Amino acid sequence: MNYWNNTNVSFFILVGLTDSGDIQVVLSLLFLLIYLITVLGNLGMIVIICLDHQLHTPMYFFLTHLSFLDLCYSNVITPKTLANLLTSSKSISFVGCFTQMYFFILLSATECFLLSSMAYDRFIAICSPLQYPVIMSPRLCRGLLTGSYMVGLMDSLVNHLCMSRLHFCNSNVIHHFFCDESPILILSCSDTYGTEMMIMFLAGSTVILSLILICVSYVSILSTILKINSTSGKQKAFSTCASHLLGVLVFYGTVIFTYLKPKKSYSLGKDQVASVFYTIVIPMLNPLIYSLRNKEVKNAFLRVVHKRRFRQLK
């Protein structure tokens, strides 16, 4: 915080996605709808998993926390974006901007390794089904979850320290709809090379390491599935990890396109569209992916509704 006293900027202006009033109204309605679906979908997923004892397994333990992360994601970005679209004031305080960026990085990095933990869970379930209850013990699940949050915390703290050393003395206009690293680095009148390299190293290490763990898990899963003789057996084995694989492809595809590149290659239009998908749309898609394609979640929902109706009849 002491480094921030060296800057002449007390607040930033978030330009947003467009200057057109009509388009802003349309976007605000669209984002509000997505936000409501995101909140209801992720809260619903958490409630169903907590209420249905048949879903108290390692896979759904991780899925609960994925829904929690997506819920936090949405609340970090979307409300401020909606406020900027609906009001003439588009300012955000210096501390508020860096706080938003801090939690955004924390949640992003945590989700990377949470997805890796989920891939490892599917690897054990398919490749070592008889040992699954022993290997995926509650203690290991809690350890993997804690490790994911610790990586996210470390990434966000280092990024926070690097960014807080920068000096902002000229423009305070951020050409983006939230406080992201690339558009803020452009505004600095300090030498950002060292900061940019450190941020790229952390982001690259987090994404690549977690992606390697996921790839190793799925290569082993694919090898095991191909050894299954029956077609129905292969389909059943693949169906247990299809939702997670789809979620991984959507998440990492957008992350790699948006962040693993130098600051100078930042493109206002393309990066904003990718960021909208990454920060607003994906948190809505995850509960849909893991519920609509999952018979266990559907059956659990029906059981919860049936129990509730049965209690009301009593």
Side-chain angles (χ1 to χ4, degrees):
M1 291 288 287
N2 292 333
Y3 292 105
W4 292 355
N5 294 329
N6 297 326
T7 184
N8 297 331
V9 176
S10 60
F11 65 93
F12 290 107
I13 302 295
L14 292 167
V15 172
L17 296 166
T18 178
D19 294 328
S20 172
D22 293 336
I23 297 178
Q24 285 181 356
V25 172
V26 173
L27 287 177
S28 63
L29 292 174
L30 178 62
F31 289 170
L32 178 60
L33 177 62
I34 292 174
Y35 178 67
L36 292 175
I37 295 173
T38 300
V39 172
L40 292 174
N42 285 291
L43 276 179
M45 183 71 76
I46 294 171
V47 170
I48 289 171
I49 293 172
C50 290
L51 292 179
D52 192 88
H53 292 287
Q54 293 186 32
L55 297 184
H56 290 182
T57 62
M59 182 177 75
Y60 292 103
F61 169 78
F62 292 125
L63 188 54
T64 300
H65 287 275
L66 180 65
S67 293
F68 172 73
L69 287 176
D70 285 336
L71 196 59
C72 293
Y73 245 115
S74 188
N75 283 295
V76 166
I77 304 296
T78 310
K80 182 60 180 176
T81 303
L82 285 172
N84 289 345
L85 287 169
L86 294 171
T87 62
S88 57
S89 175
K90 300 182 184 298
S91 64
I92 183 170
S93 68
F94 192 88
V95 175
C97 185
F98 275 76
T99 301
Q100 185 186 59
M101 185 169 57
Y102 173 84
F103 282 105
F104 172 69
I105 296 168
L106 169 65
L107 296 168
S108 301
T110 301
E111 185 158 339
C112 284
F113 281 93
L114 182 61
L115 290 172
S116 298
S117 300
M118 294 174 73
Y120 178 72
D121 171 75
R122 294 299 83 205
F123 159 71
I124 298 298
I126 293 173
C127 299
S128 304
L130 297 178
Q131 296 178 309
Y132 179 75
V134 177
I135 297 175
M136 296 304 298
S137 63
R139 183 177 180 180
L140 178 62
C141 292
R142 288 193 296 267
L144 290 171
L145 180 66
T146 302
S148 299
Y149 278 104
M150 290 302 294
V151 170
L153 183 63
M154 182 192 69
D155 275 9
S156 58
L157 281 174
V158 174
N159 273 272
H160 175 80
L161 290 173
C162 290
M163 295 291 288
S164 65
R165 292 173 181 270
L166 298 178
H167 188 53
F168 299 91
C169 55
N170 297 320
S171 175
N172 66 339
V173 178
I174 300 175
H175 291 280
H176 212 355
F177 64 94
F178 74 102
C179 293
D180 201 3
E181 294 169 332
S182 295
I184 292 178
L185 281 171
I186 293 173
L187 300 181
S188 176
C189 49
S190 306
D191 181 10
T192 61
Y193 179 78
T195 300
E196 186 181 351
M197 290 300 103
M198 177 58 74
I199 290 172
M200 283 191 65
F201 172 76
L202 286 173
S205 300
T206 300
V207 172
I208 292 171
L209 180 58
S210 60
L211 196 54
I212 287 173
L213 294 173
I214 291 172
C215 290
V216 169
S217 296
Y218 272 103
V219 167
S220 300
I221 289 171
L222 182 60
S223 176
T224 301
I225 290 176
L226 292 176
K227 292 177 183 177
I228 299 174
N229 294 324
S230 65
T231 304
S232 60
K234 290 181 180 179
Q235 291 177 345
K236 184 178 180 181
F238 182 75
S239 65
T240 62
C241 57
S243 297
H244 177 257
L245 184 58
L246 179 59
V248 166
L249 291 173
V250 171
F251 179 82
Y252 278 94
T254 314
V255 169
I256 291 171
F257 175 81
T258 307
Y259 293 104
L260 293 189
K261 57 187 178 182
K263 177 190 66 172
K264 292 181 180 178
S265 63
Y266 173 75
S267 172
L268 182 61
K270 292 180 180 179
D271 282 54
Q272 281 190 337
V273 172
S275 294
V276 167
F277 192 76
Y278 175 69
T279 59
I280 297 176
V281 179
I282 287 181
M284 177 195 69
L285 290 179
N286 276 337
L288 298 177
I289 290 171
Y290 287 98
S291 61
L292 295 179
R293 296 181 56 86
N294 194 319
K295 290 182 180 179
E296 289 182 346
V297 174
K298 293 178 183 177
N299 293 335
F301 174 74
L302 294 175
R303 285 194 296 269
V304 170
V305 172
H306 179 72
K307 286 180 182 178
R308 189 176 182 83
R309 287 181 178 176
F310 183 73
R311 288 174 183 174
Q312 289 176 345
L313 291 174
K314 279 187 173 183

Short mmCIF file of all heavy atoms in Angstrom, two decimals, residues 34-86:
data_model
loop_
_atom_site.label_atom_id
_atom_site.label_comp_id
_atom_site.label_asym_id
_atom_site.label_seq_id
_atom_site.Cartn_x
_atom_site.Cartn_y
_atom_site.Cartn_z
N ILE A 34 -27.69 -13.17 -17.65
CA ILE A 34 -26.60 -14.12 -17.44
C ILE A 34 -26.22 -14.18 -15.96
O ILE A 34 -25.98 -15.27 -15.41
CB ILE A 34 -25.38 -13.75 -18.30
CG1 ILE A 34 -25.69 -13.93 -19.79
CG2 ILE A 34 -24.15 -14.59 -17.91
CD1 ILE A 34 -24.59 -13.44 -20.72
N TYR A 35 -26.18 -13.02 -15.31
CA TYR A 35 -25.81 -12.96 -13.90
C TYR A 35 -26.81 -13.72 -13.03
O TYR A 35 -26.42 -14.48 -12.14
CB TYR A 35 -25.72 -11.50 -13.46
CG TYR A 35 -25.40 -11.30 -12.00
CD1 TYR A 35 -24.16 -11.66 -11.49
CD2 TYR A 35 -26.35 -10.75 -11.14
CE1 TYR A 35 -23.86 -11.48 -10.14
CE2 TYR A 35 -26.05 -10.56 -9.80
CZ TYR A 35 -24.81 -10.93 -9.31
OH TYR A 35 -24.52 -10.75 -7.98
N LEU A 36 -28.10 -13.53 -13.31
CA LEU A 36 -29.14 -14.22 -12.53
C LEU A 36 -29.05 -15.73 -12.74
O LEU A 36 -29.18 -16.50 -11.77
CB LEU A 36 -30.52 -13.70 -12.94
CG LEU A 36 -30.84 -12.26 -12.55
CD1 LEU A 36 -32.18 -11.83 -13.13
CD2 LEU A 36 -30.82 -12.08 -11.04
N ILE A 37 -28.84 -16.16 -13.98
CA ILE A 37 -28.70 -17.58 -14.27
C ILE A 37 -27.46 -18.15 -13.57
O ILE A 37 -27.49 -19.26 -13.02
CB ILE A 37 -28.62 -17.83 -15.79
CG1 ILE A 37 -29.93 -17.45 -16.48
CG2 ILE A 37 -28.29 -19.30 -16.09
CD1 ILE A 37 -29.86 -17.51 -18.00
N THR A 38 -26.38 -17.36 -13.57
CA THR A 38 -25.13 -17.78 -12.92
C THR A 38 -25.33 -17.98 -11.43
O THR A 38 -24.93 -19.01 -10.87
CB THR A 38 -24.03 -16.73 -13.15
OG1 THR A 38 -23.79 -16.58 -14.55
CG2 THR A 38 -22.73 -17.16 -12.47
N VAL A 39 -25.94 -17.00 -10.78
CA VAL A 39 -26.16 -17.07 -9.33
C VAL A 39 -27.09 -18.23 -8.98
O VAL A 39 -26.79 -19.05 -8.10
CB VAL A 39 -26.73 -15.74 -8.80
CG1 VAL A 39 -27.13 -15.88 -7.33
CG2 VAL A 39 -25.70 -14.63 -8.96
N LEU A 40 -28.22 -18.32 -9.69
CA LEU A 40 -29.18 -19.38 -9.41
C LEU A 40 -28.61 -20.75 -9.73
O LEU A 40 -28.80 -21.71 -8.97
CB LEU A 40 -30.47 -19.14 -10.21
CG LEU A 40 -31.30 -17.92 -9.80
CD1 LEU A 40 -32.48 -17.72 -10.76
CD2 LEU A 40 -31.81 -18.07 -8.37
N GLY A 41 -27.90 -20.86 -10.86
CA GLY A 41 -27.33 -22.14 -11.27
C GLY A 41 -26.28 -22.65 -10.30
O GLY A 41 -26.31 -23.82 -9.88
N ASN A 42 -25.35 -21.79 -9.92
CA ASN A 42 -24.27 -22.21 -9.02
C ASN A 42 -24.76 -22.42 -7.60
O ASN A 42 -24.35 -23.39 -6.94
CB ASN A 42 -23.14 -21.19 -9.05
CG ASN A 42 -22.31 -21.28 -10.32
OD1 ASN A 42 -21.59 -22.24 -10.54
ND2 ASN A 42 -22.41 -20.27 -11.18
N LEU A 43 -25.64 -21.55 -7.12
CA LEU A 43 -26.23 -21.76 -5.79
C LEU A 43 -27.05 -23.05 -5.76
O LEU A 43 -27.00 -23.82 -4.80
CB LEU A 43 -27.11 -20.57 -5.40
CG LEU A 43 -26.42 -19.37 -4.78
CD1 LEU A 43 -27.44 -18.27 -4.49
CD2 LEU A 43 -25.67 -19.74 -3.51
N GLY A 44 -27.81 -23.27 -6.85
CA GLY A 44 -28.61 -24.49 -6.95
C GLY A 44 -27.75 -25.74 -6.92
O GLY A 44 -28.08 -26.73 -6.25
N MET A 45 -26.61 -25.69 -7.64
CA MET A 45 -25.69 -26.83 -7.66
C MET A 45 -25.15 -27.10 -6.26
O MET A 45 -25.09 -28.25 -5.81
CB MET A 45 -24.55 -26.54 -8.63
CG MET A 45 -23.56 -27.69 -8.79
SD MET A 45 -24.23 -29.08 -9.70
CE MET A 45 -24.19 -28.45 -11.37
N ILE A 46 -24.75 -26.05 -5.56
CA ILE A 46 -24.20 -26.20 -4.20
C ILE A 46 -25.25 -26.78 -3.26
O ILE A 46 -24.97 -27.70 -2.48
CB ILE A 46 -23.69 -24.85 -3.67
CG1 ILE A 46 -22.48 -24.39 -4.49
CG2 ILE A 46 -23.33 -24.94 -2.19
CD1 ILE A 46 -22.04 -22.97 -4.19
N VAL A 47 -26.48 -26.26 -3.34
CA VAL A 47 -27.55 -26.71 -2.45
C VAL A 47 -27.90 -28.17 -2.71
O VAL A 47 -28.05 -28.97 -1.76
CB VAL A 47 -28.80 -25.81 -2.61
CG1 VAL A 47 -30.00 -26.42 -1.89
CG2 VAL A 47 -28.53 -24.41 -2.09
N ILE A 48 -28.03 -28.56 -3.98
CA ILE A 48 -28.38 -29.94 -4.33
C ILE A 48 -27.32 -30.92 -3.83
O ILE A 48 -27.64 -31.96 -3.25
CB ILE A 48 -28.57 -30.08 -5.86
CG1 ILE A 48 -29.85 -29.38 -6.31
CG2 ILE A 48 -28.63 -31.56 -6.26
CD1 ILE A 48 -30.01 -29.29 -7.81
N ILE A 49 -26.05 -30.58 -4.05
CA ILE A 49 -24.96 -31.46 -3.61
C ILE A 49 -24.93 -31.57 -2.09
O ILE A 49 -24.70 -32.66 -1.54
CB ILE A 49 -23.61 -30.96 -4.14
CG1 ILE A 49 -23.57 -31.09 -5.67
CG2 ILE A 49 -22.45 -31.73 -3.53
CD1 ILE A 49 -22.36 -30.45 -6.33
N CYS A 50 -25.19 -30.47 -1.39
CA CYS A 50 -25.19 -30.50 0.07
C CYS A 50 -26.36 -31.29 0.64
O CYS A 50 -26.21 -32.00 1.65
CB CYS A 50 -25.22 -29.07 0.63
SG CYS A 50 -23.69 -28.15 0.36
N LEU A 51 -27.53 -31.19 0.00
CA LEU A 51 -28.74 -31.84 0.51
C LEU A 51 -28.83 -33.32 0.16
O LEU A 51 -29.43 -34.10 0.92
CB LEU A 51 -29.99 -31.12 -0.01
CG LEU A 51 -30.24 -29.70 0.51
CD1 LEU A 51 -31.49 -29.12 -0.11
CD2 LEU A 51 -30.34 -29.68 2.03
N ASP A 52 -28.25 -33.72 -0.97
CA ASP A 52 -28.35 -35.12 -1.40
C ASP A 52 -27.10 -35.90 -0.97
O ASP A 52 -26.00 -35.63 -1.46
CB ASP A 52 -28.52 -35.20 -2.92
CG ASP A 52 -28.91 -36.60 -3.38
OD1 ASP A 52 -30.12 -36.90 -3.41
OD2 ASP A 52 -28.00 -37.40 -3.69
N HIS A 53 -27.28 -36.86 -0.09
CA HIS A 53 -26.14 -37.60 0.47
C HIS A 53 -25.47 -38.50 -0.57
O HIS A 53 -24.30 -38.85 -0.41
CB HIS A 53 -26.60 -38.44 1.66
CG HIS A 53 -27.00 -37.61 2.85
ND1 HIS A 53 -26.09 -36.94 3.64
CD2 HIS A 53 -28.23 -37.31 3.35
CE1 HIS A 53 -26.73 -36.28 4.59
NE2 HIS A 53 -28.04 -36.49 4.45
N GLN A 54 -26.20 -38.88 -1.60
CA GLN A 54 -25.59 -39.72 -2.64
C GLN A 54 -24.55 -38.97 -3.45
O GLN A 54 -23.75 -39.58 -4.16
CB GLN A 54 -26.68 -40.29 -3.56
CG GLN A 54 -27.61 -41.28 -2.88
CD GLN A 54 -28.58 -41.91 -3.85
OE1 GLN A 54 -28.26 -42.11 -5.04
NE2 GLN A 54 -29.77 -42.26 -3.38
N LEU A 55 -24.56 -37.65 -3.38
CA LEU A 55 -23.58 -36.84 -4.09
C LEU A 55 -22.41 -36.42 -3.20
O LEU A 55 -21.58 -35.61 -3.62
CB LEU A 55 -24.24 -35.58 -4.67
CG LEU A 55 -25.32 -35.80 -5.73
CD1 LEU A 55 -25.81 -34.47 -6.27
CD2 LEU A 55 -24.83 -36.68 -6.87
N HIS A 56 -22.34 -36.97 -2.00
CA HIS A 56 -21.22 -36.65 -1.10
C HIS A 56 -20.02 -37.53 -1.44
O HIS A 56 -19.60 -38.40 -0.68
CB HIS A 56 -21.64 -36.83 0.35
CG HIS A 56 -22.62 -35.81 0.81
ND1 HIS A 56 -23.12 -35.74 2.09
CD2 HIS A 56 -23.21 -34.77 0.15
CE1 HIS A 56 -23.96 -34.73 2.20
NE2 HIS A 56 -24.03 -34.13 1.03
N THR A 57 -19.48 -37.29 -2.63
CA THR A 57 -18.33 -38.03 -3.15
C THR A 57 -17.24 -37.01 -3.52
O THR A 57 -17.52 -35.81 -3.62
CB THR A 57 -18.71 -38.85 -4.40
OG1 THR A 57 -19.14 -37.94 -5.44
CG2 THR A 57 -19.83 -39.83 -4.09
N PRO A 58 -15.99 -37.47 -3.72
CA PRO A 58 -14.91 -36.53 -4.07
C PRO A 58 -15.22 -35.67 -5.30
O PRO A 58 -14.93 -34.47 -5.29
CB PRO A 58 -13.72 -37.47 -4.33
CG PRO A 58 -13.98 -38.64 -3.45
CD PRO A 58 -15.47 -38.83 -3.47
N MET A 59 -15.80 -36.27 -6.34
CA MET A 59 -16.08 -35.50 -7.56
C MET A 59 -17.01 -34.33 -7.27
O MET A 59 -16.77 -33.20 -7.72
CB MET A 59 -16.70 -36.41 -8.63
CG MET A 59 -16.97 -35.68 -9.94
SD MET A 59 -17.63 -36.74 -11.24
CE MET A 59 -19.32 -36.95 -10.68
N TYR A 60 -18.05 -34.57 -6.50
CA TYR A 60 -19.01 -33.51 -6.21
C TYR A 60 -18.51 -32.58 -5.12
O TYR A 60 -18.99 -31.43 -5.02
CB TYR A 60 -20.37 -34.12 -5.87
CG TYR A 60 -21.00 -34.77 -7.08
CD1 TYR A 60 -20.99 -36.15 -7.24
CD2 TYR A 60 -21.56 -34.00 -8.09
CE1 TYR A 60 -21.53 -36.75 -8.37
CE2 TYR A 60 -22.10 -34.58 -9.22
CZ TYR A 60 -22.08 -35.95 -9.36
OH TYR A 60 -22.60 -36.54 -10.49
N PHE A 61 -17.58 -33.03 -4.31
CA PHE A 61 -16.91 -32.14 -3.36
C PHE A 61 -16.17 -31.05 -4.14
O PHE A 61 -16.28 -29.85 -3.82
CB PHE A 61 -15.92 -32.96 -2.52
CG PHE A 61 -14.99 -32.12 -1.68
CD1 PHE A 61 -15.42 -31.53 -0.50
CD2 PHE A 61 -13.67 -31.92 -2.08
CE1 PHE A 61 -14.56 -30.76 0.27
CE2 PHE A 61 -12.80 -31.16 -1.31
CZ PHE A 61 -13.25 -30.57 -0.13
N PHE A 62 -15.43 -31.46 -5.18
CA PHE A 62 -14.71 -30.48 -6.00
C PHE A 62 -15.69 -29.63 -6.81
O PHE A 62 -15.48 -28.43 -7.00
CB PHE A 62 -13.75 -31.19 -6.95
CG PHE A 62 -12.59 -31.85 -6.26
CD1 PHE A 62 -12.32 -33.19 -6.44
CD2 PHE A 62 -11.75 -31.13 -5.42
CE1 PHE A 62 -11.26 -33.81 -5.80
CE2 PHE A 62 -10.68 -31.73 -4.77
CZ PHE A 62 -10.43 -33.08 -4.96
N LEU A 63 -16.76 -30.24 -7.28
CA LEU A 63 -17.75 -29.51 -8.08
C LEU A 63 -18.45 -28.43 -7.24
O LEU A 63 -18.76 -27.36 -7.76
CB LEU A 63 -18.78 -30.48 -8.65
CG LEU A 63 -19.79 -29.93 -9.66
CD1 LEU A 63 -19.07 -29.23 -10.81
CD2 LEU A 63 -20.67 -31.04 -10.19
N THR A 64 -18.66 -28.71 -5.97
CA THR A 64 -19.22 -27.70 -5.07
C THR A 64 -18.34 -26.46 -5.01
O THR A 64 -18.82 -25.32 -5.08
CB THR A 64 -19.39 -28.28 -3.64
OG1 THR A 64 -20.26 -29.40 -3.70
CG2 THR A 64 -19.98 -27.23 -2.70
N HIS A 65 -17.04 -26.69 -4.89
CA HIS A 65 -16.12 -25.56 -4.80
C HIS A 65 -15.93 -24.87 -6.16
O HIS A 65 -15.63 -23.67 -6.20
CB HIS A 65 -14.78 -26.02 -4.23
CG HIS A 65 -14.86 -26.31 -2.76
ND1 HIS A 65 -14.70 -25.33 -1.81
CD2 HIS A 65 -15.11 -27.45 -2.08
CE1 HIS A 65 -14.83 -25.85 -0.61
NE2 HIS A 65 -15.08 -27.14 -0.73
N LEU A 66 -16.08 -25.62 -7.25
CA LEU A 66 -16.05 -24.98 -8.57
C LEU A 66 -17.23 -24.03 -8.71
O LEU A 66 -17.08 -22.91 -9.21
CB LEU A 66 -16.09 -26.05 -9.67
CG LEU A 66 -16.06 -25.52 -11.11
CD1 LEU A 66 -14.74 -24.81 -11.41
CD2 LEU A 66 -16.28 -26.66 -12.11
N SER A 67 -18.39 -24.45 -8.25
CA SER A 67 -19.58 -23.58 -8.27
C SER A 67 -19.38 -22.37 -7.38
O SER A 67 -19.79 -21.26 -7.71
CB SER A 67 -20.82 -24.36 -7.82
OG SER A 67 -21.16 -25.36 -8.76
N PHE A 68 -18.73 -22.58 -6.23
CA PHE A 68 -18.44 -21.46 -5.32
C PHE A 68 -17.51 -20.45 -5.98
O PHE A 68 -17.73 -19.23 -5.89
CB PHE A 68 -17.82 -22.00 -4.03
CG PHE A 68 -17.31 -20.92 -3.11
CD1 PHE A 68 -18.19 -20.12 -2.40
CD2 PHE A 68 -15.95 -20.70 -2.96
CE1 PHE A 68 -17.72 -19.12 -1.56
CE2 PHE A 68 -15.47 -19.70 -2.13
CZ PHE A 68 -16.36 -18.91 -1.42
N LEU A 69 -16.46 -20.95 -6.66
CA LEU A 69 -15.52 -20.06 -7.36
C LEU A 69 -16.23 -19.28 -8.47
O LEU A 69 -16.01 -18.07 -8.63
CB LEU A 69 -14.37 -20.87 -7.95
CG LEU A 69 -13.33 -21.42 -6.98
CD1 LEU A 69 -12.32 -22.29 -7.72
CD2 LEU A 69 -12.62 -20.31 -6.24
N ASP A 70 -17.08 -19.96 -9.24
CA ASP A 70 -17.81 -19.29 -10.32
C ASP A 70 -18.76 -18.23 -9.78
O ASP A 70 -18.95 -17.17 -10.38
CB ASP A 70 -18.58 -20.32 -11.15
CG ASP A 70 -17.68 -21.14 -12.05
OD1 ASP A 70 -16.59 -20.64 -12.40
OD2 ASP A 70 -18.06 -22.26 -12.42
N LEU A 71 -19.35 -18.53 -8.62
CA LEU A 71 -20.24 -17.57 -7.98
C LEU A 71 -19.46 -16.32 -7.56
O LEU A 71 -19.91 -15.18 -7.75
CB LEU A 71 -20.89 -18.23 -6.76
CG LEU A 71 -22.12 -17.56 -6.15
CD1 LEU A 71 -23.24 -17.44 -7.16
CD2 LEU A 71 -22.57 -18.35 -4.93
N CYS A 72 -18.27 -16.53 -6.99
CA CYS A 72 -17.42 -15.42 -6.59
C CYS A 72 -16.94 -14.62 -7.80
O CYS A 72 -16.93 -13.38 -7.78
CB CYS A 72 -16.22 -15.93 -5.79
SG CYS A 72 -16.63 -16.65 -4.19
N TYR A 73 -16.54 -15.35 -8.85
CA TYR A 73 -16.13 -14.73 -10.11
C TYR A 73 -17.16 -13.72 -10.57
O TYR A 73 -16.86 -12.57 -10.90
CB TYR A 73 -16.08 -15.82 -11.19
CG TYR A 73 -14.74 -16.12 -11.74
CD1 TYR A 73 -14.18 -17.37 -11.53
CD2 TYR A 73 -14.04 -15.20 -12.50
CE1 TYR A 73 -12.95 -17.68 -12.06
CE2 TYR A 73 -12.82 -15.51 -13.01
CZ TYR A 73 -12.27 -16.76 -12.79
OH TYR A 73 -11.05 -17.05 -13.31
N SER A 74 -18.39 -14.22 -10.64
CA SER A 74 -19.47 -13.41 -11.17
C SER A 74 -19.69 -12.16 -10.32
O SER A 74 -19.93 -11.07 -10.85
CB SER A 74 -20.75 -14.25 -11.22
OG SER A 74 -21.78 -13.57 -11.89
N ASN A 75 -19.58 -12.29 -8.99
CA ASN A 75 -19.82 -11.16 -8.10
C ASN A 75 -18.65 -10.18 -8.08
O ASN A 75 -18.83 -9.01 -7.71
CB ASN A 75 -20.11 -11.66 -6.69
CG ASN A 75 -21.52 -12.19 -6.56
OD1 ASN A 75 -22.49 -11.45 -6.68
ND2 ASN A 75 -21.65 -13.48 -6.35
N VAL A 76 -17.47 -10.61 -8.46
CA VAL A 76 -16.31 -9.72 -8.53
C VAL A 76 -16.39 -8.81 -9.76
O VAL A 76 -16.02 -7.64 -9.69
CB VAL A 76 -14.99 -10.54 -8.56
CG1 VAL A 76 -13.81 -9.67 -8.97
CG2 VAL A 76 -14.73 -11.14 -7.18
N ILE A 77 -16.91 -9.34 -10.87
CA ILE A 77 -16.88 -8.60 -12.15
C ILE A 77 -18.23 -8.02 -12.55
O ILE A 77 -18.35 -6.84 -12.86
CB ILE A 77 -16.37 -9.53 -13.27
CG1 ILE A 77 -14.99 -10.10 -12.94
CG2 ILE A 77 -16.33 -8.77 -14.60
CD1 ILE A 77 -13.89 -9.09 -12.82
N THR A 78 -19.28 -8.84 -12.55
CA THR A 78 -20.54 -8.47 -13.20
C THR A 78 -21.26 -7.28 -12.56
O THR A 78 -21.74 -6.40 -13.29
CB THR A 78 -21.48 -9.68 -13.28
OG1 THR A 78 -20.78 -10.79 -13.84
CG2 THR A 78 -22.69 -9.37 -14.15
N PRO A 79 -21.42 -7.20 -11.23
CA PRO A 79 -22.16 -6.06 -10.67
C PRO A 79 -21.57 -4.70 -11.05
O PRO A 79 -22.33 -3.77 -11.38
CB PRO A 79 -22.06 -6.30 -9.15
CG PRO A 79 -21.92 -7.77 -9.01
CD PRO A 79 -21.07 -8.19 -10.18
N LYS A 80 -20.25 -4.57 -11.01
CA LYS A 80 -19.62 -3.29 -11.39
C LYS A 80 -19.81 -3.03 -12.89
O LYS A 80 -20.03 -1.88 -13.30
CB LYS A 80 -18.13 -3.33 -11.05
CG LYS A 80 -17.38 -2.03 -11.37
CD LYS A 80 -17.96 -0.85 -10.60
CE LYS A 80 -17.20 0.43 -10.91
NZ LYS A 80 -17.81 1.60 -10.27
N THR A 81 -19.74 -4.09 -13.70
CA THR A 81 -19.96 -3.93 -15.14
C THR A 81 -21.38 -3.45 -15.42
O THR A 81 -21.60 -2.56 -16.25
CB THR A 81 -19.72 -5.27 -15.87
OG1 THR A 81 -18.38 -5.72 -15.59
CG2 THR A 81 -19.89 -5.13 -17.37
N LEU A 82 -22.36 -4.01 -14.72
CA LEU A 82 -23.75 -3.60 -14.88
C LEU A 82 -23.94 -2.15 -14.43
O LEU A 82 -24.65 -1.38 -15.09
CB LEU A 82 -24.66 -4.52 -14.06
CG LEU A 82 -24.90 -5.91 -14.63
CD1 LEU A 82 -25.66 -6.78 -13.62
CD2 LEU A 82 -25.68 -5.84 -15.93
N ALA A 83 -23.30 -1.77 -13.33
CA ALA A 83 -23.41 -0.40 -12.83
C ALA A 83 -22.85 0.59 -13.85
O ALA A 83 -23.43 1.67 -14.07
CB ALA A 83 -22.67 -0.27 -11.51
N ASN A 84 -21.74 0.25 -14.48
CA ASN A 84 -21.14 1.13 -15.49
C ASN A 84 -22.01 1.25 -16.73
O ASN A 84 -22.04 2.30 -17.38
CB ASN A 84 -19.76 0.62 -15.87
CG ASN A 84 -18.74 0.80 -14.76
OD1 ASN A 84 -18.97 1.55 -13.82
ND2 ASN A 84 -17.62 0.10 -14.85
N LEU A 85 -22.70 0.17 -17.09
CA LEU A 85 -23.56 0.18 -18.26
C LEU A 85 -24.84 0.99 -18.02
O LEU A 85 -25.37 1.61 -18.93
CB LEU A 85 -23.94 -1.25 -18.67
CG LEU A 85 -22.86 -2.09 -19.33
CD1 LEU A 85 -23.30 -3.55 -19.43
CD2 LEU A 85 -22.50 -1.56 -20.72
N LEU A 86 -25.31 0.98 -16.78
CA LEU A 86 -26.60 1.61 -16.47
C LEU A 86 -26.49 3.04 -15.96
O LEU A 86 -27.50 3.75 -15.90
CB LEU A 86 -27.34 0.76 -15.43
CG LEU A 86 -27.76 -0.64 -15.90
CD1 LEU A 86 -28.29 -1.46 -14.73
CD2 LEU A 86 -28.82 -0.55 -17.00
#
